[in-house]
C-alpha cells in the first residue's frame, strides 16, 4: 500500500500527485474512461474532495490520503 501525504485536496489534484495524469483536463477524461474507487465507491467527479484517511484505488494501486 502506498501513502501520499497532503491536506484535503480534490481528486484531480490527487491523481496528478500520484502521477496518474498530468493536467486537470486529462483527469476529467481519465475518470470518464477508467474505474477509480474512493472509499470503495466508484467516483467520476474530478472535484471530489478527499480528506485524510480516504482510500483511493486506481490502476490496481491502493493509495491513502494522508
Amino acid at each position: 500500500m502506498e501513502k501520499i501525504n497532503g491536506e484535503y485536496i480534490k481528486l484531480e489534484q490527487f491523481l496528478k500527485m500520484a502521477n496518474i495524469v498530468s493536467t486537470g483536463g486529462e483527469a476529467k477524461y481519465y475518470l470518464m474512461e477508467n474505474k477509480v474507487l474512493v472509499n470503495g465507491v466508484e467516483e467520476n467527479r474530478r472535484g471530489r474532495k478527499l480528506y485524510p484517511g480516504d482510500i483511493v484505488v486506481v490502476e490496481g494501486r491502493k493509495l491513502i490520503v494522508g
Side-chain angles (χ1 to χ4, degrees):
M1 185 180 317
E2 294 182 47
K3 184 168 182 169
I4 296 179
N5 293 317
E7 47 192 75
Y8 121 67
I9 59 172
K10 293 181 181 178
L11 180 56
E12 68 180 334
Q13 294 168 317
F14 187 81
L15 292 175
K16 287 192 281 187
M17 284 179 55
N19 295 316
I20 305 294
V21 299
S22 55
T23 67
E26 191 178 324
K28 177 181 178 180
Y29 292 105
Y30 183 87
L31 290 168
M32 288 171 35
E33 298 179 5
N34 297 276
K35 188 173 185 176
V36 175
L37 302 177
V38 177
N39 298 325
V41 178
E42 192 167 348
E43 184 58 70
N44 60 9
R45 297 173 295 161
R46 65 183 177 159
R48 162 74 190 265
K49 293 179 183 176
L50 302 176
Y51 298 93
D54 282 348
I55 298 173
V56 179
V57 177
V58 59
E59 295 185 356
R61 297 185 334 182
K62 189 174 188 179
L63 306 169
I64 300 174
V65 179

